[in-house]
Amino acid sequence: MPLDLEEQEQLDQLKAFWQKYRNLITGVATVALFAYATYSGYQWWRNSQALEASKLYETMVSAIAKGDKEQTLRAADDLQKDFARTPYAPMSSLIAARIASDAGDSAKALDYLRWAAKNASNDAYLALAKMRLVSQLIEQGTEKDFAEADQILQGKPIAGFEALWLERRGDWYLAQKKNEEAKTSYQDAWKKLDQAKEFPEEARRLLKVKLDAVGGVAQ
C-alpha cells in the first residue's frame, strides 16, 4: 500500500534524523550495554571475592582456636592483600592487631590498625580501627605517637561514634597530664553518651571512672 504524502514526509524525516545522529545513537547504546555488562561483572566479582574471603577468614578463626599466631597473622595479611575491598579484611586486621598487641608486638599491631583505619569501608569497623589506633598510640606515649593520635582526633568523628571520639580526646589530654582539658572532654563525651542509648552500660561505667579520676561530674 503506497504511502500518502504526509506519511512519506515523516519517513523521509526519520531517515534524515537517523543519517545525522546514527553514530551518536549507536555510541550511547553501546555505552549503556557496556555499563550494564560491567555492573553485572562487578556484581559477580564482588560475590566471588566475598566467598573466597569468607573461606580465608574461616581459616583464620580456626588458627585462632588452635592458638596458631603465625597462621592467624598470615591469614590477616592475605586478606589485606587479596581481598581488601571485602569487610573481612578490616575485620581480620582488627583481630590481628589485638593478637599482635597481646604478644607484645606493638609495631605490628599499629600496622594492622593503620591499615584498617585507612581501608575499612564499613563505618563501624572504621571507627573502631581509629579509636583503637588512638589508644595504642597514646599507650606508646612518644611525642610522635601523640602527634599521630592528635591528627586522627582532629578529623571528623564517624557518625554515631562522637562520644567515643571525645572520650579518646580526653585520654589524649590525660596522658599528657592536662587534667582540666581531659575533664572537659570526658564531660562532653558523657553528654553525648547519655544521648546514645545503644551504647552498652559498660561503656558508661568506664567513662564514669575516668570522670571521677579527673574530678569531673557526670551530668
Side-chain angles (χ1 to χ4, degrees):
M1 178 179 174
L3 299 174
D4 60 30
L5 289 177
E6 183 178 354
E7 290 174 331
Q8 185 61 52
E9 184 178 353
Q10 290 175 346
L11 181 60
D12 290 341
Q13 288 175 351
L14 181 59
K15 288 180 179 178
F17 177 84
W18 173 252
Q19 287 295 326
K20 185 175 182 179
Y21 294 107
R22 64 180 176 181
N23 289 337
L24 177 61
I25 293 170
T26 303
V28 170
T30 301
V31 169
L33 287 171
F34 179 76
Y36 176 76
T38 301
Y39 174 76
S40 298
Y42 172 71
Q43 290 296 105
W44 174 88
W45 174 85
R46 188 173 67 175
N47 292 337
S48 175
Q49 286 275 294
L51 179 60
E52 292 302 314
S54 70
K55 292 178 182 177
L56 186 53
Y57 183 75
E58 287 175 8
T59 299
M60 181 180 178
V61 171
S62 296
I64 294 171
K66 296 174 186 174
D68 190 336
K69 176 191 165 215
E70 295 305 318
Q71 186 180 16
T72 299
L73 299 186
R74 187 163 57 249
D77 293 340
D78 289 343
L79 280 162
Q80 283 185 2
K81 182 178 67 175
D82 299 327
F83 304 102
R85 297 177 69 177
T86 70
Y88 293 99
M91 185 164 54
S92 65
S93 292
L94 289 169
I95 296 170
R98 172 58 63 194
I99 291 171
S101 181
D102 289 346
D105 193 345
S106 57
K108 187 77 171 172
L110 284 169
D111 285 343
Y112 282 120
L113 291 172
R114 287 186 181 112
W115 189 93
K118 181 180 179 181
N119 294 281
S121 57
N122 177 280
D123 281 350
Y125 292 145
L126 183 62
L128 185 57
K130 288 186 175 183
M131 295 301 91
R132 282 182 53 187
L133 177 55
V134 167
S135 294
Q136 189 88 17
L137 289 166
I138 291 172
E139 187 177 327
Q140 293 286 103
T142 70
E143 186 175 339
K144 182 180 178 181
D145 293 321
F146 280 127
E148 185 179 350
D150 180 44
Q151 186 175 18
I152 295 168
L153 291 169
Q154 285 181 24
K156 185 179 179 181
I158 308 297
F161 293 87
E162 294 85 355
L164 295 181
W165 212 267
L166 287 164
E167 183 180 351
R168 290 301 179 276
R169 175 56 84 181
D171 296 343
W172 186 84
Y173 282 129
L174 186 61
Q176 297 172 88
K177 300 184 177 6
K178 299 178 180 179
N179 286 20
E180 285 304 311
E181 291 90 339
K183 181 169 68 174
T184 299
S185 288
Y186 287 148
Q187 286 177 328
D188 290 342
W190 183 266
K191 292 174 185 175
K192 288 282 186 183
L193 199 62
D194 200 42
Q195 298 167 8
K197 303 301 181 184
E198 68 275 9
F199 276 90
E201 189 59 32
E202 185 179 341
R204 301 174 199 280
R205 285 199 298 268
L206 177 59
L207 181 54
K208 181 67 165 55
V209 169
K210 294 178 181 181
L211 263 172
D212 292 342
V214 293
V217 179
Q219 299 174 346

